[in-house]
Amino acid sequence: MDESRRDFLKKFGFALLSVGGGFPLLRTIASASEKELRTGAAVSTQWGMVIDIQKCLSEQVRRACIEACNREHNVPEIPDPEEEVKWIWSETYEDAFPEGIHPYTADYLKGKPVLVLCNHCTNPPCVKVCPTQATWKREEDGIVMMDMHRCIGCRYCIAGCPYGARSFNWRDPRPYIKGDLTPFPTRAKGVVEKCNFCAERLRKGQEPACVAAVKNIPGMEGALTFGDLYDPNSEVSRVLRENHTICRKVSLGTGPNVFYIV
Amino acid sequence: MLEQAFQGTKRYWTLVGFWVLVIVAGTAAFSHQLIKGLTVTGMSRDVAWGLYISQFTFLVGVAASAVMVVLPYYLHNYKKFGRMVILGEFLAVSAVVMCALFIFVDLGQPRRVLNVLLYPTLNSVMFWDSVVLMGYLVLNLVIGFVTFDAERKGAPPSTWIKPLIYLSIPWAISIHTVTAFLYSGLAARPFWMTAILAPRFLASAFASGPSLLIILALILRKYTRFDPGKEAIQKLGTIVAYAMVVNLFFVLVELFTALYSDLPHHMHHFEYLFMGLHGKSTLAPWMWVSGLLTVAAVVLLVIPKVRKQENLLAIICLAVIVSIWIEKGMGLIVTGFIPSPLGGITEYTPTGPEITITIGVYGIGFLILTLLYKIVVSVREKTEQIR
């Protein structure tokens, strides 16, 4: 190969590399600074939830929540506990609140089931670690969203979440979906998923499926309360003002937006 | 120069053929994993990372350790490493390739791997890790080939390579530091969230990498006419001795902080690692073997008389590699997940397909290493005949 051709190829390769490598990076930097400007304006909404632990001791309530969610989002029911996909489920009080127990914890809490789900944190560690922005905190309403089409399945977010709120599709979930499919898109194997606070229902002005399911059970009003934490007149804000509530692992600074009445 | 990889003795082709067989088996297992999903591995809801990410972590260390020959040779002008440097650089090349492959086979959606570059995310350590690893691969390939080509022609290398060589020194430190940051920045995993993780990674890397290099050098001397030099091997032995002592010190510092402070959520992981929790203790015997090998290696390494006998040194180096492989390649990653944030104790054992894929990736790495070392050996044999 003569020198000038070699030289040209070298330069061309370098130009190609810098364009290919540089543009996405520039775009990210640009959008990062843009984001800063936009968050400067107050976020108008932060969806949040209050769970009344005592009311949710009712097996019927918990089952209604979990089944409504699974149906709404086509969550598979995989028998192997090591590969389960869970959006909202029950854990014992001590596993949900490892810092809230001691040897003399009252019997009405010790070993009792508590509903847990994604906390839609104010400062979500899962969002921080994601290498592809497949999960992000939605600016208009604070929901921690998930793009299952962008997720590469590295499971860094699972390592980063202190609540175990994220599930990975170890296998194709579709054969394990019970009953007829609902409109919510089913997932492929190899991606991470989790509770989305029913973003698809909120868009239509409906409450999350779990909250709606409980409303139909007589005497269980207020087992789950959902609403805008930034609106002082919302039901959820009233419940938070009037009750002593706790959240999971506050000391980690993640700022959970799911609260519990003990 | 490259043509040297395509001509060789029967023994050379047997070795190449062996790696190819290993790679074929690995590829078959990987296709099985592609079809079925990561369910074919031993990983689970609780233990989200296993053998693949552990090997990645171990091999980043091997890659970074090239700096232990580059630094004395180029910064301190330690001439005895003249024939060793290229071995270190090419070992780094094959190690980084394996690192990238281990990340790739661990992905749930490997076809989307380029999303990391399409949507570069500055706040994700994983983005930075892929940047520094790819940079390190390019640096070592370029530096290795340019300096070696110059040596072959009997001329000093072009001056433009010097800044790249100097850059490669802090860059080597950076790859293992950023890899440690992948884990040590997670508040959800107290086992990893320790400032000493990066220094520990570097210390264990500078012990295991040069150990591997010593063994490779001894193999080359035995089976080829190329001799990296007795003194160079001894100097590497000294480096392994220092690194292993520092490594042991760092581990003890870590253990003291965790055990004396008695913080339950930090302690539980160590309890699991060394004793087992709730009767689950798969890793404990391995960790004790690792600990004993570490102590034995340190004791033997600090005695110059022992270290100076090459046969003994080779055995000690093997002990160092095994001990650090158990610690990083088995214990470190998995234990971060046990117990889980919800208190679950799910143990992890790799499956057959998972182990086959892992061996397949090592096969690719060792094939690359074999080809690169073949080039080095053949060229050196020739130039030495002429002189």
Side-chain angles (χ1 to χ4, degrees):
Chain A
M1 197 174 356
D2 68 89
E3 280 305 305
S4 68
R5 200 162 117 209
R6 189 174 182 168
D7 206 39
F8 169 77
L9 282 177
K10 255 196 227 163
K11 279 180 188 156
F12 182 72
F14 184 72
L16 208 66
L17 252 175
S18 47
V19 170
F23 270 151
L25 197 61
L26 276 177
R27 199 182 55 207
T28 304
I29 295 165
S31 76
S33 53
E34 205 176 298
K35 223 175 262 172
E36 209 123 6
L37 287 177
R38 264 186 281 157
T39 42
V43 179
S44 52
T45 305
Q46 169 66 59
W47 295 118
M49 189 183 279
V50 176
I51 296 176
D52 187 324
I53 293 180
Q54 292 311 310
K55 284 188 177 159
C56 291
L57 287 182
S58 148
E59 158 101 49
Q60 193 195 359
V61 167
R62 292 197 316 277
R63 205 173 44 221
C65 290
I66 297 166
E67 280 176 3
C69 173
N70 288 359
R71 194 168 326 111
E72 169 73 24
H73 302 108
N74 292 315
V75 176
E77 288 180 29
I78 295 169
D80 180 356
E82 293 199 354
E83 297 194 5
E84 268 179 309
V85 174
K86 298 193 269 199
W87 286 37
I88 180 168
W89 73 100
S90 299
E91 288 286 344
T92 61
Y93 178 78
E94 45 268 49
D95 285 343
F97 297 96
E99 288 179 3
I101 52 147
H102 50 77
Y104 309 102
T105 296
D107 283 341
Y108 69 89
L109 290 173
K110 204 186 279 174
K112 293 292 186 291
V114 176
L115 281 177
V116 294
L117 64 157
C118 171
N119 282 295
H120 296 275
C121 301
T122 300
N123 180 22
C126 53
V127 168
K128 187 163 65 182
V129 298
C130 178
T132 61
Q133 298 153 55
T135 188
W136 71 99
K137 187 154 177 79
R138 197 155 73 172
E139 283 168 37
E140 61 263 35
D141 59 6
I143 295 182
V144 175
M145 297 290 286
M146 185 69 218
D147 181 345
M148 282 103 165
H149 294 281
R150 190 186 283 190
C151 173
I152 57 174
C154 70
R155 310 187 293 295
Y156 201 5
C157 55
I158 294 182
C161 174
Y163 306 105
R166 289 175 164 268
S167 303
F168 182 70
N169 285 284
W170 296 98
R171 59 177 76 201
D172 180 9
R174 284 159 192 141
Y176 300 92
I177 301 172
K178 274 196 180 163
D180 294 332
L181 290 185
T182 46
F184 195 82
T186 59
R187 275 74 69 191
K189 66 172 185 286
V191 296
V192 172
E193 61 181 78
K194 65 166 198 76
C195 160
N196 66 347
F197 258 177
C198 282
E200 76 286 353
R201 285 173 60 94
L202 291 169
R203 196 168 48 224
K204 294 186 281 185
Q206 296 169 325
E207 279 187 307
C210 53
V211 180
V214 174
K215 285 238 162 103
N216 302 329
I217 305 173
M220 285 301 157
E221 300 82 11
L224 268 64
T225 313
F226 181 85
D228 180 9
L229 298 173
Y230 289 176
D231 173 7
N233 300 318
S234 69
E235 176 71 359
V236 76
S237 297
R238 187 190 62 78
V239 172
L240 282 169
R241 260 198 313 275
E242 292 172 3
N243 294 276
H244 171 63
T245 47
I246 56 172
C247 9
R248 295 172 65 196
K249 299 190 181 174
V250 232
S251 63
L252 297 184
T254 51
N257 286 306
V258 174
F259 306 86
Y260 293 86
I261 301 174
V262 184
Chain B
M1 180 160 63
L2 292 180
E3 74 280 359
Q4 300 293 347
F6 297 100
Q7 40 195 262
T9 58
K10 206 169 191 180
R11 196 160 56 200
Y12 169 66
W13 286 114
T14 316
L15 186 60
V16 169
F18 175 71
W19 297 134
V20 171
L21 279 182
V22 169
I23 296 167
V24 168
T27 313
F30 182 61
S31 356
H32 174 60
Q33 179 183 295
L34 271 184
I35 295 163
K36 296 275 174 187
L38 285 165
T39 178
V40 303
T41 69
M43 293 184 273
S44 62
R45 210 187 139 76
D46 280 351
V47 185
W49 287 338
L51 199 57
Y52 301 148
I53 297 296
S54 303
Q55 301 319 299
F56 157 78
T57 311
F58 174 75
L59 288 167
V60 173
V62 173
S65 72
V67 74
M68 286 288 107
V69 283
V70 171
L71 192 146
Y73 182 66
Y74 287 107
L75 282 192
H76 297 276
N77 205 17
Y78 182 70
K79 290 287 181 217
K80 297 274 160 42
F81 271 173
R83 317 159 113 239
M84 195 65 99
V85 168
I86 190 73
L87 300 184
E89 285 161 347
F90 282 166
L91 177 60
V93 167
S94 82
V96 177
V97 171
M98 286 189 270
C99 290
L101 286 171
F102 273 118
I103 294 287
F104 181 74
V105 298
D106 185 67
L107 295 181
Q109 289 283 340
R111 276 172 304 176
R112 297 183 189 166
V113 64
L114 286 180
N115 280 4
V116 177
L117 299 176
L118 287 173
Y119 309 103
T121 309
L122 307 186
N123 47 273
S124 174
V125 184
M126 203 173 277
F127 166 72
W128 290 109
D129 209 31
S130 52
V131 169
V132 291
L133 280 172
M134 286 307 111
Y136 192 65
L137 176 64
V138 172
L139 274 177
N140 276 286
L141 267 178
V142 170
I143 294 170
F145 273 108
V146 168
T147 53
F148 190 66
D149 193 40
E151 185 198 309
R152 185 176 63 108
K153 290 173 180 155
S158 324
T159 44
W160 61 266
I161 201 74
K162 266 283 150 91
L164 289 188
I165 292 170
Y166 294 141
L167 178 65
S168 80
I169 293 169
W171 203 292
I173 309 290
S174 85
I175 61 166
H176 220 12
T177 305
V178 177
T179 302
F181 287 175
L182 278 177
Y183 314 113
S184 67
L186 301 179
R189 309 285 168 182
F191 182 64
W192 299 330
M193 211 188 72
T194 160
I196 206 157
L197 198 67
R200 248 185 80 189
F201 272 18
L202 286 165
S204 59
F206 296 158
S208 58
S211 292
L212 185 55
L213 208 49
I214 289 175
I215 291 177
L216 290 171
L218 291 173
I219 292 175
L220 285 185
R221 188 164 67 189
K222 183 152 189 218
Y223 292 103
T224 72
R225 273 174 289 159
F226 169 65
D227 180 5
K230 201 174 170 60
E231 263 185 78
I233 289 175
Q234 277 308 314
K235 186 58 95 185
L236 276 179
T238 314
I239 291 172
V240 174
Y242 274 104
M244 207 53 189
V245 170
V246 174
N247 181 40
L248 178 61
F249 171 66
F250 284 171
V251 170
L252 292 175
V253 167
E254 167 106 287
L255 282 175
F256 171 80
T257 313
L259 301 184
Y260 193 80
S261 67
D262 229 356
L263 278 175
H265 293 115
H266 201 180
M267 269 269 288
H268 285 330
H269 294 285
F270 287 94
E271 267 178 66
Y272 171 72
L273 195 55
F274 290 104
M275 310 302 238
L277 276 176
H278 304 296
K280 293 182 176 170
S281 57
T282 311
L283 275 176
W286 291 93
M287 288 312 292
W288 285 105
V289 169
S290 168
L292 288 176
L293 285 176
T294 300
V295 173
V298 165
V299 170
L300 293 174
L301 278 166
V302 294
I303 307 171
K305 261 190 193 159
V306 177
R307 195 173 69 217
K308 285 197 171 122
Q309 299 175 49
E310 274 184 355
N311 291 339
L312 285 180
L313 182 64
I315 295 169
I316 299 171
C317 285
L318 199 63
V320 167
I321 294 170
V322 171
S323 134
I324 290 173
W325 185 82
I326 294 174
E327 186 209 322
K328 269 167 138 174
M330 284 180 75
L332 184 95
I333 301 304
V334 169
T335 307
F337 293 99
I338 307 171
S340 80
L342 285 161
I345 297 162
T346 311
E347 285 206 290
Y348 163 81
T349 335
T351 59
E354 199 174 1
I355 294 171
T356 314
I357 293 171
T358 300
I359 295 174
V361 173
Y362 273 105
I364 295 176
F366 280 111
L367 176 64
I368 294 172
L369 192 70
T370 307
L371 299 178
L372 290 173
Y373 276 19
K374 170 68 173 57
I375 295 170
V376 172
V377 167
S378 300
V379 169
R380 287 253 163 93
E381 279 175 349
K382 261 189 196 159
T383 48
E384 259 150 53
Q385 263 173 1
I386 296 165
R387 272 171 210 163

